[in-house]
């Protein structure tokens, strides 16, 4: 006798059908499932809810809404958790070394669970910097029906009639140091700058990648800008739970949605809203999982022909709340019609073109029309030259006009901490080019964000006179002439390792160049004279990561 409880078209039939599957069925019955429920599709609700992460602390509620939707549509949800690290807790110390590597850990954990338990579909709930790209990567790698529910932005803080995002508190250090504000006022501001759950209220990496997820067609419409505390976010979660069951029945998978055209559309949308430099790490990795291509150079080309339409903090004065009220991602895509292919299918069964017909909001003060764009160029510029033969990246939308072309003497530091100490103690001269080395994916290891350094430059009044060049990366909160992802990195004996104090570095953002005034022979001789590079970490996950990670210009994927 062969016991058949479930249609063999479901992956989970492997778990519940047949005489030999009595053990799994017993476990499922022990958890309360009935015979009728054994026949329904099994949906994994992968939740990164976390009690030490403001962007994820509310996601238990979203998980329940998703499960309600799955039940209502005739599926059986199983909630599973994986890790989520908060970049905010890791700034300025060695903890940041773990953040980018956690992207691979999250993607791997989802792959392992979905594969082992033969889930029929996935709803992935996550809201911050490395978590959203990790979930997109996992969805494409596993390639079973999947929907993302992004956790939603935090509401902006309000103080003395102005709106603030958390990063602006770091930029107040100079005012505190100079006595312009008191310690008591600073502490008061600490108490209001992170007013509730959600990803930081700016176009940092978290919200940039949430915008990308929606533009890729992997979320229900409106997900990216629906704020964490709103009923709209809960409705998106419930609708996602309902929709995943239909995707399973129709066997519509992420690679059916994320085509090369959709990938290019998503990059363009990200560039049009001032997206983070970390996009250049995540989009090549996402393309890799989809079997597609998106190089650093391709991203630079897309940015060059994409108008900059929405200037959201930290590049401008508008908030994510303003963007949501102006139409969100759909509102941006509506303005880009003709420059991007909107006839691409999304997870809700409609094309982007059909979805944008449903929005009623329109605020051209927040989302400019193309003919009134802030710039004809998107947020990012790829720079190459003898200092970065394989490329580097700058968020040009956040650079003051006077610093788009700059030449100055190098001030070299072997880690972020030493650079920050020099900045705060005013040991930097106006006109300098700070060089921070040994912070790349391999050499860091983990490619730390330099937010403490960039915020210190702003707070100490150097933002429009000092440039920063690093093989590390930046937070989406960074602004100013900050060039990151210099490749090859120091540990791979890239030219950045040869730079010495006083060498003149030439930066030309409009020309897309980054040079040090040294001959090729001088660079080669200096590199040859360097001692053998020794890894900073010799055991554990970070050591394994450093041995396997590719260069930043390849998306820091693991090989």
């Amino acid at each position: 006798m062969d016991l058949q409880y479930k249609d063999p078209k479901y992956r989970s039939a492997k778990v519940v059908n047949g005489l030999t599957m009595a053990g799994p069925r017993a476990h499922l019955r022990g958890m309360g499932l009935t015979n009728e429920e054994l026949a329904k599709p099994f949906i994994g609700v992968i939740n990164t809810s976390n009690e030490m992460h403001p962007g994820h602390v509310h996601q238990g509620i979203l998980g329940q809404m998703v499960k309600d939707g799955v039940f209502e549509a005739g599926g059986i949800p199983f909630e599973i958790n994986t890790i989520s690290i908060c970049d905010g807790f890791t700034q300025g110390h060695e903890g940041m070394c773990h953040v980018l590597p956690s992207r691979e850990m999250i993607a791997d954990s989802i792959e392992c669970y979905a594969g082992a338990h033969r889930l029929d579909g996935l709803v992935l709930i996550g809201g911050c910097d490395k978590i959203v790209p990790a979930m997109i990567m996992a969805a494409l790698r596993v390639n079973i029906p999947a929907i993302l529910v992004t956790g939603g932005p935090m509401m902006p803080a309000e103080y003395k009639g102005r709106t603030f995002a958390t990063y602006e508190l770091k930029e107040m250090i100079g005012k505190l140091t100079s006595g312009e504000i008191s310690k008591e006022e600073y502490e008061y501001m600490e108490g209001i700058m992170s007013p509730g759950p959600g990803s930081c209220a700016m176009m940092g990496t978290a919200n940039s990648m949430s915008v990308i997820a929606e533009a890729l067609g992997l979320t229900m419409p409106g997900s990216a800008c629906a704020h964490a505390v709103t009923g709209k976010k809960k409705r998106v979660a419930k609708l996602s739970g309902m929709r995943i069951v239909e995707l399973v029945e129709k066997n519509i998978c992420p690679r059916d949605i994320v085509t090369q055209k959709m990938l290019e559309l998503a990059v363009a949308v990200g560039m049009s809203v001032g997206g983070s430099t970390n996009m250049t790490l995540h989009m090549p990795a996402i393309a890799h999982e989809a079997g597609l291509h998106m190089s650093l150079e391709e991203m630079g080309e897309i940015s060059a022909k994409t108008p900059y339409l929405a200037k959201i903090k930290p590049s401008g004065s508008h908030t994510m709340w303003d963007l949501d009220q102006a139409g969100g991602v759909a509102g941006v895509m509506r303005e880009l019609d003709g420059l991007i292919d909107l006839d691409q299918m999304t997870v809700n069964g409609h094309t982007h073109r059909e979805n944008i017909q449903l929005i009623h909001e329109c605020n051209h003060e927040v989302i400019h029309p193309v003919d009134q764009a802030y710039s004809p160029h998107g947020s990012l510029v790829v720079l190459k030259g003898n200092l970065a033969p394989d490329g580097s990246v700058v968020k040009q939308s956040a650079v003051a006009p006077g610093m788009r072309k700059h030449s100055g003497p190098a001030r070299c530091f072997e880690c972020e901490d030493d650079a920050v100490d020099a900045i705060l103690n005013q040991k930097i001269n106006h006109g300098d080019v700070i060089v921070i080395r040994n912070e790349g994916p391999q050499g860091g290891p983990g490619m730390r964000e330099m937010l403490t350094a960039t915020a210190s430059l702003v707070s100490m009044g150097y933002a429009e006179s000092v440039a920063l060049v690093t093989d590390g990366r930046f937070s989406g909160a960074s602004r100013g002439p900050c060039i990151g992802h210099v490749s090859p990195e120091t540990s791979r004996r890239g030219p950045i390792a040869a730079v010495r104090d006083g060498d003149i570095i030439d930066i030309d953002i409009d020309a897309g160049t980054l040079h040090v005034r040294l001959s090729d022979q001088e660079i080669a001789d200096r590199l040859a004279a360097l001692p053998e590079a020794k890894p900073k970490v010799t055991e554990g996950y970070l050591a394994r990561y450093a041995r396997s990670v590719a260069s930043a210009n390849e998306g820091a994927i693991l090989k």
Side-chain angles (χ1 to χ4, degrees):
M1 181 176 65
D2 193 12
L3 299 176
Q4 298 291 317
Y5 290 88
K6 181 168 285 186
D7 189 324
K9 72 176 182 180
Y10 295 120
R11 279 166 45 104
S12 58
K14 295 282 187 181
V15 178
V16 299
N17 283 355
L19 286 171
T20 59
M21 291 297 105
R25 288 196 302 272
H27 289 324
L28 290 163
R29 295 185 197 284
M31 292 188 290
L33 269 68
T34 65
N35 281 358
E36 291 75 19
E37 289 173 323
L38 292 179
K40 296 178 179 181
F42 288 176
I43 307 300
V45 179
I46 312 295
N47 202 337
T48 48
S49 177
N50 183 319
E51 291 186 352
M52 200 179 179
H53 195 320
H56 293 236
V57 71
H58 64 298
Q59 288 182 181
I61 297 170
L62 298 183
Q64 186 59 55
M65 298 301 295
V66 169
K67 289 186 289 184
D68 290 346
V70 172
F71 274 125
E72 188 170 330
I76 303 299
F78 297 92
E79 190 167 1
I80 304 108
N81 281 87
T82 189
I83 66 167
S84 59
I85 294 175
C86 176
D87 291 41
F89 282 105
T90 63
Q91 296 290 345
H93 56 81
E94 292 84 353
M96 177 55 77
C97 293
H98 296 268
V99 177
L100 182 58
S102 75
R103 184 187 73 180
E104 319 312 311
M105 189 177 289
I106 294 165
D108 289 352
S109 69
I110 295 169
E111 176 194 1
C112 287
Y113 202 95
H117 283 242
R118 311 313 297 166
L119 295 168
D120 298 305
L122 299 171
V123 179
L124 306 160
I125 310 173
C128 286
D129 298 47
K130 309 308 161 290
I131 297 95
V132 172
M135 289 183 154
I136 297 172
M137 290 164 63
L140 291 164
R141 185 190 304 173
V142 176
N143 202 35
I144 63 174
I147 295 180
L148 272 72
V149 177
T150 51
M154 183 185 293
M155 294 298 292
E158 294 190 12
Y159 181 61
K160 292 186 176 180
R162 288 181 53 203
T163 56
F164 288 86
T166 312
Y167 76 91
E168 292 175 278
L169 185 64
K170 280 182 174 286
E171 295 180 358
M172 294 283 179
I173 294 172
K175 292 185 177 183
L176 176 63
T177 304
S178 66
E180 188 176 339
I181 60 174
S182 66
K183 176 176 177 288
E184 289 73 22
E185 184 175 14
Y186 192 79
E187 288 182 344
Y188 176 79
M189 293 174 73
E190 285 183 6
I192 64 171
M193 284 295 180
S194 185
S199 50
C200 293
M202 60 183 178
M203 193 59 73
T205 309
N207 289 317
S208 296
M209 294 312 300
S210 293
V211 166
I212 290 285
E214 184 171 338
L216 283 172
L218 293 177
T219 76
M220 297 297 281
S223 182
C225 296
H227 279 50
V229 297
T230 62
K232 180 180 178 181
K233 177 57 68 181
K234 294 183 179 70
R235 293 195 300 275
V236 166
K238 188 169 185 179
L239 288 169
S240 298
M242 295 170 68
R243 178 61 184 166
I244 189 62
V245 177
E246 188 171 354
L247 290 181
V248 168
E249 295 298 337
K250 294 180 177 179
N251 195 32
I252 298 173
C253 299
R255 293 192 194 182
D256 300 323
I257 303 291
V258 182
T259 62
Q260 186 65 36
K261 281 186 178 181
M262 189 71 100
L263 196 67
E264 292 165 4
L265 177 153
V267 171
V269 172
M271 296 296 182
S272 74
V273 296
S276 165
T277 52
N278 283 315
M279 287 168 52
T280 65
L281 281 176
H282 301 317
M283 296 312 292
I286 287 168
H288 175 74
E289 297 292 355
L292 303 172
H293 55 86
M294 185 53 64
S295 67
L296 185 62
E297 291 78 9
E298 287 173 303
M299 293 189 72
E301 290 168 4
I302 293 171
S303 184
K305 60 186 181 183
T306 301
Y308 182 24
L309 303 184
K311 210 165 191 178
I312 311 301
K313 286 177 178 284
S315 300
S317 59
H318 293 127
T319 65
M320 289 300 298
W321 181 254
D322 295 328
L323 182 60
D324 183 48
Q325 298 303 294
V329 176
V332 173
M333 289 193 290
R334 179 170 55 191
E335 299 302 329
L336 289 172
D337 189 8
L339 299 176
I340 57 176
D341 184 357
L342 293 173
D343 297 312
Q344 303 289 310
M345 190 61 65
T346 74
V347 290
N348 79 333
H350 299 284
T351 65
H352 279 311
R353 186 176 303 282
E354 291 168 333
N355 288 333
I356 66 174
Q357 304 305 317
L358 302 177
I359 63 170
H360 303 288
E361 301 89 347
C362 182
N363 185 339
H364 283 151
E365 182 183 345
V366 177
I367 304 173
H368 283 202
V370 169
D371 61 2
Q372 298 174 31
Y374 288 104
S375 163
H377 197 301
S379 57
L380 304 185
V381 172
V382 174
L383 308 180
K384 283 192 168 185
N386 71 343
L387 187 52
D390 292 339
S392 60
V393 65
V394 62
K395 190 172 184 178
Q396 65 93 22
S397 57
V399 178
M403 289 298 290
R404 295 184 69 84
K405 188 173 183 178
H406 177 76
S407 297
R411 291 289 306 280
C412 299
F413 300 92
E414 304 308 317
C415 63
E416 182 196 23
D417 312 70
D418 292 344
V420 170
D421 182 69
I423 295 166
L424 294 180
N425 287 289
Q426 297 181 300
K427 296 178 180 179
I428 299 296
N429 300 314
H430 291 284
D432 283 350
V433 178
I434 295 172
V435 176
I436 303 179
R437 301 190 274 233
N438 301 300
E439 295 286 10
Q442 180 188 74
M447 202 177 186
R448 291 200 294 174
E449 289 183 345
M450 306 287 106
L451 176 59
T452 302
T454 58
S456 298
L457 283 174
V458 173
S459 72
M460 299 302 291
Y462 293 116
E464 297 189 14
S465 62
V466 173
L468 194 159
V469 175
T470 179
D471 55 7
R473 60 193 178 90
F474 298 115
S475 161
S478 298
R479 55 194 178 101
C482 301
I483 299 163
H485 304 214
V486 170
S487 301
E489 63 177 288
T490 309
S491 67
R492 299 179 195 272
R493 289 299 182 257
I496 190 173
V499 178
R500 295 175 182 169
D501 283 354
D503 290 340
I504 301 300
I505 293 176
D506 297 314
I507 299 164
D508 192 331
I509 292 174
D510 294 321
T513 57
L514 178 63
H515 290 287
V516 58
R517 293 185 194 174
L518 299 173
S519 68
D520 291 346
Q521 187 60 54
E522 177 66 16
I523 291 173
D525 290 345
R526 289 188 186 183
L527 292 176
L530 291 174
E532 181 182 355
K534 294 183 179 180
K536 293 180 183 176
V537 180
T538 58
E539 59 186 22
Y541 177 63
L542 287 182
R544 298 199 303 276
Y545 179 86
R547 289 194 295 268
S548 303
V549 70
S551 182
N553 66 296
E554 298 179 85
I557 61 173
L558 295 189
K559 293 188 174 181

